[in-house]
Amino acid sequence: MCFPRRRNYDGWFQSYKQTASVALGKLSGFNIWSYTVKAEEILRMSHGCGTEAGDAKGLETVRKGLEKEVEVHLFRTCNDRKGDRVVVYTNSTLFNQSAVLASPPYNRSRETEKKEDLIALTGLYIDEGKHCKHKPELAKQACSENLFKHVRIFLLSVIPGYYLDDIFCTWHITVPFRYTIRLEFQEFRLKDHPTCESCFLQIFDGRDTAAPAIGRFCGYVYPPVFVSSSNHFTIVLRCHGNLRESRFKAFYHSIGALDNTESSCSRQQGCPSSCKCEEFGGYHDKKILVTGEDLLTVPSNLPFNTGAVLFQQNRISQLREKDFAGLTKLEYIDMSFNILLHLDEDCFQNVSSVNTLRLNSNFFRTLPTGAFTGLPNLRVLDLGWNLLRKAVSGMLDGLSNLEVLSLRSNQLKELEYGVFDDKSNMTYLYLQNNKLTTIPDGLFGALSKLKLLNLSSNRLKTVTKETFQGLKSLEYLYLDGNRLSKVPPDAFSELTSLKYL
């Protein structure tokens, strides 16, 4: 919490028992800063021994102001937390020594049986710009391996404080004859560049780099799943410059001749490593349900028979041209709860079988005209909980079969005349929780099959008969939460099917 300076601060503890002899609460630390403390600084202080003090109020000041019975626990200690430990031995007769620290990055160092004094570090921080050098240089060589097991994980990981200036690694994977190799990436982060110039990973379909190259990758997008054409794969990593952010983790396993079937998520389907693929549908029309986690973009090379993608609650910021290209069986797309800011005009081309598209809970301010023209069979479109300010004519072009449209909880101030043209199949329209002050006369004229219209929680001051012109099938109309001060007696006279107002 951040409080202004020069104020008194009152805090209290509520007793859960009625007896006066029971302490009202327990206090082990209390500090107030007058500025926002960075997360890194809070983490650093959490490893300390309770000596930190806020510049606005410190624990000692708070203790003096305590009234009644409050049990004070002093202090936090620096006892070993039994976490990962590294032990360094030095000569006790010498001073100002330097020590070399060598330990596996993922395993605890061995306990010592010697009765010598040790220094315990409960938190180790490397200042920005002060990097240690690798000693010995074998750290660079450790990344090149010959891998022969049927199943194996291999990786490049950077330990804080140990940053290589350049690196060249080669992994040779070999499995028994008549087996192939399925390779997938579980983590991938290399320096991004349009042509992968200074840092890249390259995959060769064979025993060495003379074999055909099947991919060169950099950036943050996970490479697709690869299946070798033989029992060999060669992976090369070459990077120049600062590698502080560079790392990847890959997993491979061998595939026997009988394992590589059409129903598996292997070569035929190519399920991305960041995703999970499951079959659904009938025996003669099987489709793949693809779910993803920790995604920054839509994965490339989705299975050709993908029927549904569930990419909600990720960190995808843009839908690009051809993200879903060639997925002729795709019917359902859920991109809700991402950080989408932009749609490429052709991102939904050649996916005419899609009937449901969820783009709610993102950050769209505008949508390009004709963005959905590649979805002629779309029936449900959810654009709720975005930042749209205006629904322009042409925004929904090509959606003649649309039945359900939600624009709820945006910042809409204007619905442009013509935006709902050619939407005669629409039956449900949700426009609540926006900033609409007026509705153009005849705006809903093309919606002859509309059954529900929700305009609640807007800023409408009046509605007239012309507002609802053409809504002969309307059964449910919601206008609550507006500023209606004058409604003509005949405003709802043409709503002959109305059941609820």
Side-chain angles (χ1 to χ4, degrees):
M1 293 184 291
C2 180
F3 297 92
R5 289 180 180 266
R6 299 187 181 90
R7 288 192 59 183
N8 294 323
Y9 308 97
D10 297 323
W12 60 92
F13 297 86
Q14 184 174 356
S15 175
Y16 61 92
K17 294 184 179 180
Q18 300 302 319
T19 57
S21 61
V22 177
L24 295 181
K26 295 182 179 180
L27 181 66
S28 61
F30 190 92
N31 294 281
I32 300 177
W33 282 264
S34 62
Y35 57 92
T36 302
V37 182
K38 293 182 179 181
E40 294 82 0
E41 180 68 8
I42 295 174
L43 177 62
R44 184 192 66 77
M45 288 189 293
S46 73
H47 291 291
C49 308
T51 57
E52 68 279 351
D55 65 336
K57 286 285 183 181
L59 177 59
E60 286 302 316
T61 304
V62 173
R63 286 186 66 203
K64 295 176 182 178
L66 292 176
E67 298 179 0
K68 297 187 178 180
E69 298 184 45
V70 177
E71 183 179 348
V72 179
H73 280 233
L74 290 178
F75 286 101
R76 299 203 311 273
T77 66
C78 295
N79 292 337
D80 184 7
R81 302 184 183 188
K82 301 298 183 183
D84 290 350
R85 285 176 284 178
V86 178
V87 175
V88 180
Y89 290 101
T90 59
N91 191 325
S92 59
T93 62
L94 299 177
F95 298 93
N96 298 324
Q97 301 178 75
S98 62
V100 176
L101 225 125
S103 178
Y106 299 111
N107 299 322
R108 174 186 287 191
S109 299
R110 290 182 298 177
E111 301 284 352
T112 177
E113 297 180 357
K114 298 181 179 181
K115 303 297 183 180
E116 299 180 4
D117 292 334
L118 303 173
I119 298 174
L121 302 178
T122 59
L124 178 64
Y125 295 86
I126 306 298
D127 290 338
E128 188 75 22
K130 298 178 182 179
H131 308 318
C132 305
K133 294 182 179 180
H134 280 80
K135 294 183 179 181
E137 285 293 311
L138 292 175
K140 288 187 177 183
Q141 303 173 16
C143 68
S144 294
E145 295 181 88
N146 293 317
L147 308 173
F148 298 102
K149 294 184 178 180
H150 280 271
V151 179
R152 180 74 186 272
I153 291 176
F154 60 99
L155 53 88
L156 171 74
S157 180
V158 176
I159 307 170
Y162 291 83
Y163 306 120
L164 296 168
D165 294 328
D166 59 81
I167 196 167
F168 178 76
C169 304
T170 304
W171 291 269
H172 297 283
I173 305 175
T174 302
V175 296
F177 183 61
R178 294 184 179 177
Y179 282 78
T180 56
I181 303 164
R182 184 178 188 270
L183 175 67
E184 65 176 278
F185 289 83
Q186 299 174 338
E187 186 177 4
F188 193 84
R189 183 177 289 270
L190 299 179
K191 184 178 180 180
D192 199 12
H193 188 272
T195 61
C196 298
E197 182 177 304
S198 60
C199 187
F200 62 86
L201 184 139
Q202 195 164 15
I203 302 172
F204 298 88
D205 190 14
R207 66 173 64 248
D208 52 38
T209 56
I214 58 176
R216 178 169 171 163
F217 305 95
C218 63
Y220 310 121
V221 179
Y222 286 31
V225 172
F226 290 104
V227 178
S228 65
S229 60
S230 68
N231 60 326
H232 297 282
F233 253 154
T234 301
I235 296 95
V236 172
L237 175 71
R238 187 187 297 271
C239 291
H240 302 286
N242 194 317
L243 301 181
R244 295 185 61 188
E245 299 295 328
S246 299
R247 62 182 182 271
F248 78 84
K249 181 180 180 182
F251 167 79
Y252 78 85
H253 68 86
S254 60
I255 302 175
L258 297 178
D259 296 331
N260 197 10
T261 61
E262 208 170 304
S263 62
S264 66
C265 287
S266 58
R267 189 171 192 170
Q268 285 76 10
Q269 295 178 2
C271 187
S273 60
S274 52
C275 300
K276 179 181 178 181
C277 297
E278 301 179 48
E279 289 184 346
F280 72 97
Y283 180 78
H284 296 290
D285 188 28
K286 287 184 177 180
K287 300 182 181 70
I288 301 296
L289 168 66
V290 184
T291 57
E293 295 182 357
D294 301 321
L295 299 176
L296 299 175
T297 62
V298 175
S300 59
N301 294 346
L302 291 169
F304 73 92
N305 55 340
T306 296
V309 292
L310 305 181
F311 292 161
Q312 70 273 24
Q313 295 181 330
N314 281 284
R315 301 284 295 170
I316 300 172
S317 60
Q318 179 179 3
L319 293 182
R320 303 162 300 179
E321 182 180 355
K322 299 180 180 179
D323 266 345
F324 303 103
L327 302 180
T328 58
K329 296 185 179 183
L330 185 59
E331 298 178 354
Y332 188 99
I333 301 175
D334 188 348
M335 302 294 301
S336 60
F337 295 94
N338 275 274
I339 53 172
L340 287 170
L341 302 165
H342 178 72
L343 290 180
D344 283 0
E345 291 185 9
D346 297 323
C347 64
F348 295 117
Q349 294 301 312
N350 301 317
V351 283
S352 58
S353 58
V354 173
N355 58 54
T356 302
L357 175 60
R358 294 177 56 84
L359 296 172
N360 54 293
S361 301
N362 281 286
F363 295 87
F364 292 118
R365 292 188 179 274
T366 61
L367 292 171
T369 300
F372 307 111
T373 54
L375 303 169
N377 293 306
L378 193 69
R379 283 169 170 72
V380 179
L381 175 60
D382 192 347
L383 292 168
W385 292 97
N386 278 281
L387 303 172
L388 297 172
R389 298 178 179 178
K390 182 178 181 180
V392 300
S393 178
M395 185 178 80
L396 304 173
D397 280 359
L399 301 181
S400 58
N401 290 306
L402 193 64
E403 297 175 2
V404 181
L405 172 64
S406 177
L407 289 164
R408 70 192 185 283
S409 302
N410 276 270
Q411 298 181 11
L412 289 173
K413 295 183 177 180
E414 181 182 354
L415 301 174
E416 194 171 277
Y417 189 85
V419 68
F420 300 125
D421 285 356
D422 193 31
K423 303 295 179 295
S424 60
N425 289 306
M426 189 178 295
T427 52
Y428 297 89
L429 177 58
Y430 301 93
L431 294 167
Q432 69 268 31
N433 295 311
N434 280 289
K435 300 179 180 179
L436 299 171
T437 56
T438 60
I439 302 291
D441 291 346
L443 178 71
F444 306 121
L447 308 182
S448 58
K449 296 181 181 179
L450 194 68
K451 293 184 177 181
L452 184 148
L453 174 61
N454 194 334
L455 288 164
S456 63
S457 301
N458 276 279
R459 301 176 182 178
L460 297 175
K461 297 180 180 179
T462 186
V463 292
T464 66
K465 180 172 64 174
E466 287 72 24
T467 303
F468 307 112
Q469 180 182 336
L471 299 179
K472 61 183 181 180
S473 301
L474 192 67
E475 298 179 0
Y476 299 90
L477 175 61
Y478 298 87
L479 292 169
D480 54 296
N482 280 284
R483 303 173 181 177
L484 297 173
S485 58
K486 184 178 180 181
V487 179
D490 64 344
F492 311 109
S493 59
E494 294 190 1
L495 303 178
T496 56
S497 300
L498 195 63
K499 297 178 180 179
Y500 181 87
L501 175 60

